[in-house]
Amino acid sequence: MKKFFLNILKLLTSIVVFAITAIILFSISPIYNFEEPRPFSGPDIFNPYARLDTAIGWKRANFHTHTQVKGLFNECRFWPDQVDEAYRKFGYDIVTFSNHNKLTVHPYDPSLQVNVYEHGYNLFKYHKLVFGCTKVNHFDHFLPLVASQKQWQLFYLGRDADFIQMNHPYRTNNTTERSFRWLTGYRIMELDSGCGTGQEYWDWALDAGHYSFGLANDDLHYPDCSDRIAVRCNMLNCEGATYQDIKETLLSGAYYSMRVPDYGNGDWDVKYRKNSELPYICDIGLNGDTIFMALSAKAYEIRATGQGHSLLKSLNDTCAFSYVMCPEDTYLRLTAYFDDGAVIYSNPFARYDKSLAESPYVESAHTVNIGLTVLFNLLVLSLAAGGTKLLCLIWRKRKPEYRRLLS
């Protein structure tokens, strides 16, 4: 009996040591010299709605959607065609399937195929949506503690993708203002993941001159729960729903995002009806230095947010808003709040120099610190080797006493 319990103890100890060793081994990463953050500047104002065509109208979309997949690990018990059908009932025109580390085939129309997946196994839930890839990159840091590890993931995922979305920052452990002032390589920030409407983390990045557009997605796992589906959406100004249409629109900025209340609180008929009556942006853009927005319904408040998450202007009980962007204003984004709980988020207007770039977005050229990279990875490999040696010692077969004496 004693031997049995000793073997159980050895097994449990081995599992713990193996897990820690694996986490350490998968911590390898370059260490970067991060560029110093610089707020947006320049004589011109970037208008994300420059290509807006009000005659086209808006297409409703959700891009962060989970479905059942073949295999053992599933976070949703509904197949893609069932999830798609559930969204169509709410008036969604675009639904993409972003299962974890797996490309999902569109269930009925190949022309609507969008290659996108959610990357990340790690314990911190540092997840990204990878758009336009041809295959899944399975490498991940199990415990991405340092900003350089997160940055490397964005760099190597970006090599085989058209663009990347940073997922649910509010629900990502170890999300810090300092890291958001450094990280680059993503084009889209996921907004409003259920923990508030202020989007402070978006402003952390924008304050540092890291331009991104915003998408609000359901991150759907339970299409049969009224409080999980059709509570976030994005309105895209594009003619079609092909990947090329989606890509061009998402990279130009001609869209806005919404938080949508769970109308009816479980009464599906009310939820369907109210989702067909959502307020929307009638027009938005830039006229000289004046940013303007017109809504289909009166908002109880419209806010203009700028550098330092500061409130630049606020109007109440209105469906029209304008703001003259001052030379000291580095960027501005609009948020409209409605009485029933609906919220509209615009993409940011930002200063830049159009003679030097097409937009304020810049691929920061963080350089690799060779010395720190060598030292860091030597430490990682040394710790992993120590864990491996400890496993060998735990399971080493000891020689009988008489054999040890003879030898």
Side-chain angles (χ1 to χ4, degrees), residues 6 30 68 89 94 106 114 118 122 188 193 218 261 279 281 286 309 313 363 387 393 398 404:
L6 284 174
Q68 188 166 350
K89 290 180 179 179
I94 299 170
H106 195 277
V114 175
E118 185 169 17
N122 61 81
I188 296 171
S193 54
D218 280 340
I281 293 179
L286 181 69
H309 195 62
K313 183 179 179 179
E363 285 279 7
L393 289 174
R398 297 186 177 276
R404 287 207 304 270

Side-chain angles (χ1 to χ4, degrees), residues 366-387:
H366 304 313
T367 57
V368 175
N369 187 313
I370 301 298
L372 287 180
T373 296
V374 171
L375 290 175
F376 177 80
N377 289 292
L378 281 176
L379 177 62
V380 166
L381 293 175
S382 298
L383 291 174

Side-chain angles (χ1 to χ4, degrees), residues 339-361:
D339 288 329
D340 63 2
V343 183
I344 285 177
Y345 307 99
S346 83
N347 278 320
F349 298 78
R351 294 222 166 256
Y352 78 124
D353 188 340
K354 65 182 179 182
S355 67
L356 301 177
E358 295 181 356
S359 79
Y361 176 79

Side-chain angles (χ1 to χ4, degrees), residues 24 40 51 64 66 77 125 130 145 157 301 394 397:
I24 293 171
F40 300 113
R51 52 162 279 176
H64 193 167
H66 297 281
R77 62 187 182 88
K125 293 188 176 181
V130 185
L145 286 167
L157 289 173
E301 184 182 14
I394 290 172
K397 289 186 178 181

Side-chain angles (χ1 to χ4, degrees), residues 56-315:
I56 293 176
W58 306 99
K59 283 187 168 51
R60 190 173 180 181
N62 186 75
F63 295 101
H64 193 167
T65 310
H66 297 281
T67 69
Q68 188 166 350
V69 297
K70 293 179 180 179
L72 295 176
F73 302 102
N74 277 281
E75 296 182 276
C76 178
R77 62 187 182 88
F78 293 87
W79 292 100
D81 59 332
Q82 297 173 302
V83 173
D84 183 85
E85 182 183 4
Y87 268 115
R88 301 288 172 179
K89 290 180 179 179
F90 289 104
Y92 283 74
D93 305 285
I94 299 170
V95 181
T96 64
F97 310 104
S98 55
N99 287 304
H100 280 277
N101 302 290
K102 186 176 181 65
L103 295 176
T104 305
V105 176
H106 195 277
Y108 57 84
D109 190 345
S111 70
L112 301 180
Q113 175 67 28
V114 175
N115 280 9
V116 58
Y117 71 96
E118 185 169 17
H119 176 271
Y121 304 99
N122 61 81
L123 302 178
F124 286 168
K125 293 188 176 181
Y126 175 57
H127 297 164
K128 290 76 59 187
L129 286 194
V130 185
F131 285 86
C133 50
T134 57
K135 61 182 180 180
V136 173
N137 191 321
H138 291 281
F139 181 83
D140 192 14
H141 298 105
F142 290 148
L143 208 63
L145 286 167
V146 299
S148 285
Q149 292 171 314
K150 297 175 182 179
Q151 185 61 67
W152 187 39
Q153 289 189 33
L154 291 170
F155 279 163
Y156 77 70
L157 289 173
R159 290 199 301 261
D160 300 317
D162 289 331
F163 56 97
I164 294 171
Q165 171 185 285
M166 186 87 75
N167 282 359
H168 47 64
Y170 266 139
R171 293 188 287 111
T172 300
N173 297 318
N174 198 34
T175 294
T176 64
E177 180 176 353
R178 186 180 181 187
S179 64
F180 270 79
R181 290 183 179 278
W182 285 346
L183 297 177
T184 61
Y186 59 93
R187 298 299 302 270
I188 296 171
M189 184 77 75
E190 189 168 61
L191 309 180
D192 192 7
S193 54
C195 299
T197 61
Q199 316 308 323
E200 291 90 347
Y201 56 87
W202 197 15
D203 289 324
W204 294 343
L206 292 171
D207 287 349
H210 304 319
Y211 189 87
S212 64
F213 301 119
L215 285 178
N217 298 299
D218 280 340
D219 190 1
L220 184 75
H221 295 79
Y222 305 99
D224 55 337
C225 297
S226 69
D227 61 341
R228 301 296 184 92
I229 188 170
V231 291
R232 308 286 185 275
C233 69
N234 308 282
M235 298 297 189
L236 277 63
N237 183 237
C238 56
E239 291 189 3
T242 66
Y243 176 61
Q244 191 60 34
D245 293 319
I246 293 169
K247 175 184 171 182
E248 289 177 0
T249 305
L250 291 184
L251 292 181
S252 72
Y255 56 95
Y256 65 91
S257 304
M258 288 192 71
R259 165 181 277 205
V260 182
D262 179 25
Y263 295 115
N265 294 315
D267 186 327
W268 290 88
D269 290 334
V270 172
K271 189 175 178 74
Y272 290 134
R273 177 174 57 82
K274 294 291 287 183
N275 269 266
S276 67
E277 302 169 351
L278 294 178
Y280 59 89
I281 293 179
C282 298
D283 199 9
I284 184 171
L286 181 69
N287 184 6
D289 291 340
T290 302
I291 295 166
F292 63 88
M293 180 171 70
L295 301 170
S296 65
K298 186 180 291 185
Y300 81 78
E301 184 182 14
I302 302 177
R303 298 177 187 173
T305 303
Q307 188 76 23
H309 195 62
S310 60
L311 180 63
L312 301 178
K313 183 179 179 179
S314 174
L315 289 180

